[in-house]
């Protein structure tokens, strides 16, 4: 029996890697895409039937979403429609207490949804210009809180990841109900958050969808697949 989840994105083309990763990590998931331009009623109907929400990566969030003027945000690519869509989807997920997995921009939107804010430009240290077929390769290390759910899922307290971003969660405005679970040892940039408690709510700044499709016998691929599998397991535990 398939498990229905909802997944946000900017376009069908933009979520291909996520769909491919889900096929190999959690084949029993059936995905309903939530994209800018869809009617509000479609989102409500999809979220009412969903047992999990995956919030994907993408362009910068408009700074007005966290009460700031532009100061480093790449305003030429912001998508206010997507910001609004993800806000609604996250509210629905919270109202039903279904699992959330938030990736890259998705983790940032999770923080904003919880009342947090972002650092609009942290420079080039975490940016990676490799070709798409090389996106699975680790870029730097991340230290994970050993007591966190994320560490239990990954099976490690230090992992190599493929983060690529120029914005980050503001450590002074993490968001209500979220705890920091991972940081970069390079500069203490927040790389992971989660909600304490039984409910599965995890955000990571890196891209497990690429790492899950990397070469066999690498710990990074196994850890990425474990993250998607844990999300699927949590979704499977949701009843009606």
């Amino acid at each position: 029996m398939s498990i229905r989840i909802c997944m946000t994105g900017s376009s069908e083309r933009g979520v291909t890697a996520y769909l491919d990763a889900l096929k190999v990590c959690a084949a029993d998931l059936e995905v309903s895409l939530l994209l800018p331009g869809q009617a509000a009623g479609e989102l409500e109907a999809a979220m009412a039937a969903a047992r999990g929400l995956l919030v994907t990566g993408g362009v910068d969030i408009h700074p007005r979403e966290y009460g700031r003027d532009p100061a480093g945000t790449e305003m030429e690519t912001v998508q206010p429609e997507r910001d609004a869509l993800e806000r609604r989807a996250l509210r629905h997920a919270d109202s039903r207490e279904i699992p959330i997995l938030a990736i890259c921009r998705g983790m940032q939107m999770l923080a904003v949804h919880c009342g947090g804010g972002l650092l609009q430009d942290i420079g080039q240290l975490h940016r990676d210009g490799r070709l798409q077929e090389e996106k699975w390769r680790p870029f730097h290390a991340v230290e994970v809180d050993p007591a966190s759910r994320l560490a239990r899922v990954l099976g490690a307290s230090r992992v190599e990841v493929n983060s690529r971003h120029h914005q980050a969660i503001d450590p002074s405005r993490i968001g209500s109900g979220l705890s920091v679970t991972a940081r970069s040892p390079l500069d203490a940039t927040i790389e992971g958050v989660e909600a304490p408690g039984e409910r599965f709510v995890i955000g990571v700044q890196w891209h497990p969808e690429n790492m899950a499709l990397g070469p066999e016998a690498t710990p990074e691929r196994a850890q990425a697949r474990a993250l998607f599998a844990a999300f699927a397991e949590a979704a499977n535990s949701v009843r009606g």
Side-chain angles (χ1 to χ4, degrees):
M1 180 178 171
S2 63
I3 306 162
R4 181 172 293 278
I5 67 164
C6 284
M7 180 169 70
T8 68
S10 295
S11 66
E12 290 188 24
R13 180 180 178 183
V15 297
T16 300
Y18 297 91
L19 291 171
D20 290 344
L22 289 172
K23 286 177 184 176
V24 299
C25 303
D28 53 349
L29 293 184
E30 184 177 343
V31 180
S32 295
L33 291 181
L34 303 179
L35 304 173
Q38 288 179 330
E42 292 182 44
L43 182 146
E44 270 73 43
M47 285 300 301
R51 292 159 71 178
L53 175 65
L54 174 55
V55 190
T56 67
V59 299
D60 291 355
I61 298 165
H62 199 298
R64 70 185 176 202
E65 294 291 333
Y66 46 95
R68 294 289 187 268
D69 294 325
T73 294
E74 295 176 346
M75 294 299 294
E76 67 275 12
T77 58
V78 295
Q79 289 185 297
E81 284 189 354
R82 179 174 175 182
D83 296 343
L85 176 147
E86 289 180 338
R87 288 273 210 174
R88 296 201 309 274
L90 285 162
R91 285 196 296 269
H92 274 277
D94 282 351
S95 71
R96 297 182 50 229
E97 297 189 335
I98 61 174
I100 296 171
L101 177 58
I103 294 173
C104 194
R105 170 204 153 95
M107 183 182 83
Q108 297 169 9
M109 179 54 80
L110 173 63
V112 169
H113 163 71
C114 292
L118 303 182
L119 303 176
Q120 294 190 47
D121 191 358
I122 60 171
Q124 299 300 307
L125 187 60
H126 293 266
R127 278 208 145 157
D128 174 21
R130 285 178 291 187
L131 298 174
Q132 183 62 37
E133 57 268 24
E134 296 291 315
K135 294 298 187 184
W136 64 269
R137 291 188 182 276
F139 187 50
H140 64 83
V142 162
E143 294 175 346
V144 184
D145 180 354
S148 66
R149 182 196 293 264
L150 180 61
R152 294 195 299 273
V153 169
L154 300 178
S157 59
R158 185 179 175 93
V159 296
E160 297 290 327
V161 302
N162 60 342
S163 300
R164 48 183 188 271
H165 56 104
H166 83 107
Q167 297 193 319
I169 294 175
D170 184 342
S172 69
R173 299 177 63 200
I174 295 166
S176 177
L178 295 178
S179 298
V180 175
T181 58
R183 292 183 183 269
S184 166
L186 296 172
D187 56 5
T189 292
I190 295 172
E191 294 274 345
V193 297
E194 68 185 41
E198 293 298 318
R199 182 183 172 206
F200 184 105
V201 179
I202 287 180
V204 296
Q205 187 61 65
W206 62 90
H207 288 271
E209 77 281 5
N210 297 130
M211 303 183 91
L213 302 174
E216 293 183 22
T218 60
E220 295 79 25
R221 185 172 96 154
Q223 289 160 352
R225 292 188 175 199
L227 183 56
F228 284 114
F231 171 61
E233 182 180 359
N236 188 42
S237 71
V238 173
R239 299 298 172 220

